[in-house]
């Protein structure tokens, strides 16, 4: 992948040894020795980090650009540091607005452990949804898992975390899980479906599995490695490799806010990931065909040629539309740079 220069004013993600942070580039040190960020937040917790922060090259594993800067006024002395550049690995495939919206949903998640008014409000909202993301905690081992803990459900604007260890999977939730009117998105649905069917008598209806989408579109893959949601987000959306905290467990009660937030995070990006896999990977060839067909008439510079195309009484350009199967890449080339 081509390297990208970063400069003052950009919003970047720094992938560090033990953490990842997001902030605006305020200064780049001489000989690229360090980068100074302002308006810094911890990307795992979304908590602000006070003041300007300096991060040295030796501690930065890679840099990802989230938002490019506005053109720099070279006559402005305050922008002198922008002429120095550091090398970024890539641009994330999720913009700053989307990141902020996802974190707002994570922070504002609704935790439900009993069938109270909060529960009924959640069910009322979920019954209006046609697309949801699903994730479950403590289900390693499938039906043999010791104690399945939390069921998280994400919509386009909200996240609900149900404590199924305490309240089980209710009939309302079962209806949602199997409804043919709802499109569901999961990651590695094999474990989820096994637990729901055999532990809660709640078989899962038709769903889109992001792990299956990854395997289906890559001819060369390790069939013994179940790609995690973290790895999928890193591969396809270019999010940091240490975005999730793998040390958090969910068996203890009462749950802390950190545990609840972590469960919400595990489901928060599923709908965005599905959208990217469908429209940028699986249907890439289809969209190319749409563009080719769309320009078959409009792309004719000659006025007379367009008259001929329109006067035949039939559309010969239909014959040029490619038939295709599910887009499968035979190498590990990045889908955005295959033709570069």
């Amino acid at each position: 992948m081509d390297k990208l220069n970063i400069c003052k004013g950009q919003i970047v993600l720094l992938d560090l040894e033990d953490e990842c942070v997001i902030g605006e580039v305020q200064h780049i040190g001489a000989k690229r020795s360090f980068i100074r960020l302002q308006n810094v937040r911890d990307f795992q917790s979304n908590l602000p980090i006070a003041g300007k922060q300096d991060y040295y090259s030796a501690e930065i594993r890679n840099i990802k650009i989230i938002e490019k800067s506005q053109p720099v006024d070279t006559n402005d002395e305050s922008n002198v540091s922008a002429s120095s550049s550091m090398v970024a690995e890539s641009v994330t495939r999720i913009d700053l607005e989307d990141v902020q919206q996802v974190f707002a949903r994570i922070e504002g998640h609704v935790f439900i452990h009993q069938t109270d008014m909060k529960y009924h409000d959640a069910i009322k909202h979920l019954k209006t949804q046609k697309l949801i993301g699903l994730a479950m905690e403590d289900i390693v081992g499938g039906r043999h898992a010791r104690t399945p803990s939390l069921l998280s459900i994400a919509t386009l604007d909200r996240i609900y975390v149900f404590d199924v260890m305490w309240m089980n999977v209710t009939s309302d939730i079962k209806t949602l899980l199997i409804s043919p009117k709802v499109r569901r998105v999961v990651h590695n649905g094999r474990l989820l479906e096994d637990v729901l069917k055999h532990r809660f008598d709640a078989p899962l209806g038709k769903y889109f599995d992001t792990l299956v989408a990854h395997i289906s579109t890559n001819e060369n893959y390790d069939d013994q490695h179940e790609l995690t949601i973290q790895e999928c987000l890193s591969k396809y959306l270019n999010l940091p490799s240490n975005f999730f905290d793998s040390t958090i467990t969910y068996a203890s009660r009462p749950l802390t806010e950190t545990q609840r937030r972590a469960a919400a995070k595990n489901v928060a990006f599923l709908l965005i990931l599905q959208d990217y896999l469908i429209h940028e990977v699986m249907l890439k060839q289809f969209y190319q065909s749409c563009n080719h067909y769309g320009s078959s008439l409009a792309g004719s510079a000659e006025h007379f040629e367009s008259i001929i195309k329109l006067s035949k009484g039939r559309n010969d350009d239909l014959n040029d539309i490619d038939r295709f199967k599910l887009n499968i890449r035979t190498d590990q080339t990045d889908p955005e740079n295959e033709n570069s």
Side-chain angles (χ1 to χ4, degrees):
M1 184 180 295
D2 294 337
K3 299 293 185 179
L4 302 164
N5 286 336
I6 66 169
C7 59
K8 182 176 179 179
Q10 290 174 332
I11 306 297
V12 297
L13 265 173
L14 301 188
D15 195 349
L16 309 172
E17 191 64 35
D18 298 316
E19 61 178 335
C20 47
V21 298
I22 180 173
E24 179 185 341
V25 178
Q26 199 267 338
H27 178 76
I28 298 168
K31 298 182 179 180
R32 308 175 183 178
S33 57
F34 72 93
I35 180 171
R36 179 173 297 147
L37 301 184
Q38 59 186 359
N39 303 320
V40 187
R41 303 186 77 87
D42 180 271
F43 199 65
Q44 287 186 343
S45 66
N46 198 38
L47 295 175
I49 300 174
K52 296 179 175 64
Q53 300 292 321
D54 292 346
Y55 299 96
Y56 290 85
S57 297
E59 63 180 323
I60 301 174
R61 297 198 300 186
N62 60 57
I63 305 172
K64 300 176 188 292
I65 299 171
I66 287 189
E67 187 174 85
K68 296 182 179 180
S69 59
Q70 298 297 318
V72 175
D73 181 1
T74 55
N75 295 320
D76 185 349
E77 293 183 358
S78 66
N79 286 323
V80 172
S81 62
S83 61
S84 300
S85 62
M86 297 182 74
V87 176
E89 180 187 80
S90 60
V91 177
T92 58
R93 299 187 186 107
I94 177 172
D95 61 30
L96 181 61
E97 182 180 358
D98 285 338
V99 169
Q100 291 172 334
Q101 289 177 351
V102 169
F103 272 117
R105 290 195 287 273
I106 293 172
E107 294 298 321
H109 74 272
V110 180
F111 177 71
I112 300 170
H113 66 280
Q114 59 187 354
T115 54
D116 54 9
M117 185 60 69
K118 189 163 53 173
Y119 164 83
H120 290 293
D121 287 344
I123 295 300
K124 182 179 180 180
H125 174 70
L126 288 171
K127 284 181 176 180
T128 67
Q129 302 301 300
K130 302 300 182 185
L131 176 64
I132 60 173
L134 297 171
M136 206 167 188
E137 307 304 334
D138 289 346
I139 58 172
V140 175
R143 73 187 76 176
H144 308 291
R146 183 175 180 181
T147 310
S149 182
L150 302 174
L151 175 65
S152 301
I153 303 179
T155 71
L156 292 172
D157 60 350
R158 303 180 194 179
I159 296 176
Y160 300 101
V161 179
F162 294 90
D163 190 345
V164 296
M165 181 189 290
W166 277 12
M167 62 183 294
N168 211 314
V169 175
T170 66
S171 59
D172 293 316
I173 297 176
K174 288 182 183 181
T175 300
L176 181 72
L177 295 178
I178 200 171
S179 172
K181 298 180 180 179
V182 179
R183 290 183 290 133
R184 289 158 285 265
V185 183
V186 305
H187 182 82
N188 197 354
R190 177 171 170 262
L191 293 177
L192 178 62
E193 185 162 6
D194 193 52
V195 169
L196 288 173
K197 180 177 181 179
H198 293 284
R199 295 291 290 269
F200 297 101
D201 190 29
L204 193 58
K206 182 172 65 176
Y207 57 85
F208 182 100
D209 192 324
T210 54
L211 175 60
V212 174
H214 160 71
I215 294 173
S216 298
T217 54
N218 285 273
E219 190 168 88
N220 301 318
Y221 67 92
D222 180 359
D223 58 7
Q224 295 302 309
H225 177 54
E226 297 178 0
L227 206 71
T228 66
I229 182 62
Q230 166 75 82
E231 291 170 316
C232 261
L233 292 174
S234 178
K235 176 178 176 62
Y236 291 105
L237 299 185
N238 272 337
L239 291 179
S241 58
N242 59 351
F243 175 46
F244 294 97
D245 186 347
S246 60
T247 65
I248 294 178
T249 59
Y250 302 91
S252 63
R253 292 296 185 278
L255 292 168
T256 66
E257 184 64 24
T258 298
Q259 290 171 305
R260 300 174 187 177
R261 190 186 300 113
K265 185 187 293 186
N266 285 338
V267 76
F269 287 90
L270 274 179
L271 301 184
I272 295 175
L273 178 59
Q274 182 220 30
D275 186 78
Y276 183 86
L277 285 167
I278 290 176
H279 297 291
E280 303 299 332
V281 179
M282 301 172 77
L283 294 181
K284 180 177 181 179
Q285 185 179 345
F286 170 73
Y287 283 119
Q288 289 173 339
S289 293
C290 291
N291 291 335
H292 178 72
Y293 174 70
S295 62
S296 61
L297 180 61
S300 299
E302 295 293 333
H303 181 70
F304 183 70
E305 182 180 352
S306 68
I307 293 176
I308 294 176
K309 280 179 171 285
L310 291 169
S311 64
K312 288 185 176 181
R314 60 191 179 90
N315 187 351
D316 288 340
D317 292 323
L318 292 174
N319 298 322
D320 295 328
I321 296 176
D322 293 330
R323 274 62 170 174
F324 70 95
K325 296 181 179 180
L326 186 65
N327 178 31
I328 297 179
R329 302 194 302 279
T330 58
D331 56 30
Q332 296 302 310
T333 305
D334 186 280
E336 287 193 345
N337 295 297
E338 285 180 313
N339 299 320
S340 60

